[in-house]
Amino acid sequence: MTFSTKDKERLEKNPGELIYEEIKEFVGTSSENRLSFLDGYVMWDEPLVGFADGDDEIFADYKTIIEPEHLTPREALAEAYGKSPDDMPTHLSVISWILPAVEETRKSNRLESRIPSRLWSHTRWYGEKFNEKLREYMVTLLDNMGYLATAPFSQPYFKTFTNEKGPYSNWSERHIAYAAGLGTFSLSDGFITESGIAIRCASVVTDLVLPKSPRVADGPYSNCLHYIGVNCLACIKRCPAEAISETGHDKLKCQQYLHEIGYSRESYAGGYDNEKSIAGCGLCQTKVPCEFENPVKRMKKEME
Ligand code: B12
Ligand code: SF4
Ligand code: SF4
């Protein structure tokens, strides 16, 4: 990957736009976003991109909201370069992106009530492989431009743990996306963006200074109809594991269901790397009002 004089001019003029354009272009053109064994089926729609200040105090708060192991962007970048957080440059930024599932995938999952559709399952597996390529691409691009960069999720130090509520990690992509103003959490636990909840997300930490995206949400759950007092609860009915209730999402029940789901190999034939490539569930993220849009925004618009 080469970085031309033209790219340098773009970077100086508007770094945020350059980053957004690069992510959008990669999603739009990469063969990794296409399933060759399904006539080049495209998995992800146009991305959403947001930026957070690497030293935003919310990252320190996550040590209490999640667990003390959750890394701040400064710790994550320093660890990737084998240095101390204090040795990192003064200004750090976090780039966060959202990959919305295409309509056909969402529609196919709406028809299911026990296991995910073939398209959802493939998108869970190959779509995350694409997400991984996008992380790599962005880190290489920033490195070629002369900046420090790391995708914490792809680093050997990324870990998942379990506490009494269930699994958590030391780099939660959704909490990063929340910090970058891309959406909020919900009753089902999923992250609701302007393109809905049927998404995947990822992030990169860098010392390229980027404009902080505004956090317009009123609070960490304000894109969910339930938390603004609307009787929705559609996700509760969608969950075959009874892992969602009016008090929230039981991660342990959900995880157990994902392990014991008993996918039928015959009905998912084609294009598998191995056993693991039949994966996911996400029934609570389709056939619900938050599937492909911010339902609270829609409701407010309808009331205008
Ligand atoms: C461990 C894990 C799981 C676990 C636990 C999920 C969880 N809620 O943490 C299990 C196995 C259950 C799981 C299931 C699924 N997963 Co998963 N999983 C992860 C993983 C690897 C780590 C998550 C993590 O670190 N969580 C941290 C804990 C602390 O988060 P939490 O408990 O939800 O946090 C709550 C509190 O912090 C609370 N909160 C309380 N006070 C405050 C205050 C503030 C200010 C804030 C911001 C929050 C907050 O808000 C949160 C929501 O209640 C991530 C990848 C990653 N590195 O991020 C993917 C990820 C979360 N999974 C994802 C997906 C898509 C799924 C599935 C749909 C499976 C599938 N692909 O078909 C299901 C969905 C389950 C559900 N109902 O949400 C996506 C999320 C998509 C979305 N719209 O949210 C992620 C981000 C993967 C990705 N790269 O996109 N997953
Ligand atoms: S289905 Fe309704 S209650 Fe459940 S997360 Fe979506 S908006 Fe919230
Ligand atoms: S991912 Fe499946 S099992 Fe987990 S909460 Fe959603 S519908 Fe229930």
Side-chain angles (χ1 to χ4, degrees):
M1 191 193 304
T2 51
F3 195 62
S4 66
T5 320
K6 207 172 147 215
D7 289 333
K8 269 192 192 115
E9 282 166 15
R10 279 169 68 208
L11 177 69
E12 273 157 32
K13 208 171 141 205
N14 192 335
E17 196 173 288
L18 177 128
I19 296 298
Y20 170 68
E21 291 297 335
E22 287 292 336
I23 294 173
K24 190 174 146 191
E25 169 98 6
F26 195 82
V27 173
T29 58
S30 169
S31 60
E32 306 281 342
N33 189 20
R34 287 165 168 74
L35 295 175
S36 56
F37 59 90
L38 272 182
D39 298 330
Y41 184 81
V42 174
M43 294 177 284
W44 301 118
D45 256 340
E46 199 168 300
L48 304 176
V49 179
F51 309 122
D53 179 335
D55 290 309
D56 191 314
E57 59 190 34
I58 199 165
F59 295 116
D61 295 346
Y62 287 161
K63 290 193 180 285
T64 317
I65 294 168
I66 304 176
E67 284 285 349
E69 293 94 339
H70 201 270
L71 298 164
T72 65
R74 183 165 288 279
E75 288 168 342
L77 191 65
E79 181 100 23
Y81 285 88
K83 293 200 169 158
S84 136
D86 295 339
D87 293 337
M88 290 290 101
T90 320
H91 295 290
L92 302 182
S93 307
V94 189
I95 305 165
S96 173
W97 62 82
I98 303 291
L99 301 174
V102 298
E103 188 178 11
E104 207 176 324
T105 305
R106 291 186 278 102
K107 273 187 166 169
S108 69
N109 218 39
R110 280 181 213 164
L111 302 173
E112 301 297 334
S113 57
R114 193 182 69 82
I115 58 170
S117 68
R118 182 184 179 200
L119 288 175
W120 184 277
S121 182
H122 282 326
T123 303
R124 159 66 189 85
W125 184 251
Y126 296 103
E128 181 53 29
K129 284 188 178 292
F130 166 77
N131 208 7
E132 189 55 33
K133 289 280 175 209
L134 179 51
R135 288 183 184 98
E136 268 171 47
Y137 176 78
M138 291 310 293
V139 168
T140 310
L141 176 81
L142 288 157
D143 183 58
N144 286 352
M145 285 169 11
Y147 295 98
L148 302 178
T150 191
F153 181 74
S154 311
Q155 285 289 318
Y157 62 68
F158 173 81
K159 284 191 185 68
T160 52
F161 310 85
T162 304
N163 61 18
E164 68 293 348
K165 290 188 208 141
Y168 67 95
S169 71
N170 58 357
W171 189 258
S172 167
E173 299 284 20
R174 297 180 305 168
H175 286 78
I176 304 304
Y178 178 81
L182 287 165
T184 81
F185 291 86
S186 67
L187 181 67
S188 74
D189 233 3
F191 191 73
I192 305 179
T193 71
E194 292 305 307
S195 297
I197 198 168
I199 55 111
R200 288 190 80 81
C201 48
S203 57
V204 163
V205 184
T206 178
D207 62 338
L208 167 65
V209 180
L210 290 159
K212 184 176 162 174
S213 309
R215 276 205 290 276
V216 290
D218 293 337
Y221 294 94
S222 58
N223 287 354
C224 171
L225 291 170
H226 175 71
Y227 287 103
I228 62 149
V230 176
N231 185 18
C232 174
L233 310 181
C235 49
I236 296 184
K237 291 175 210 125
R238 284 290 283 151
C239 178
E242 295 180 3
I244 311 169
S245 69
E246 283 192 46
T247 54
H249 176 232
D250 182 333
K251 292 197 271 184
L252 288 166
K253 264 192 182 173
C254 173
Q255 185 183 38
Q256 194 179 347
Y257 189 75
L258 296 183
H259 285 159
E260 294 171 0
I261 199 163
Y263 303 97
S264 147
R265 288 193 70 82
E266 295 72 43
S267 60
Y268 287 72
Y272 294 109
D273 288 342
N274 56 42
E275 289 284 323
K276 280 187 183 165
S277 65
I278 310 174
C281 172
L283 296 179
C284 56
Q285 302 190 343
T286 49
K287 210 176 171 188
V288 287
C290 52
E291 180 189 296
F292 58 88
E293 63 184 349
N294 175 348
V296 172
K297 195 170 181 184
R298 166 186 262 235
M299 197 194 72
K300 285 183 177 162
K301 231 183 196 162
E302 282 169 359
M303 279 162 47
E304 270 171 17

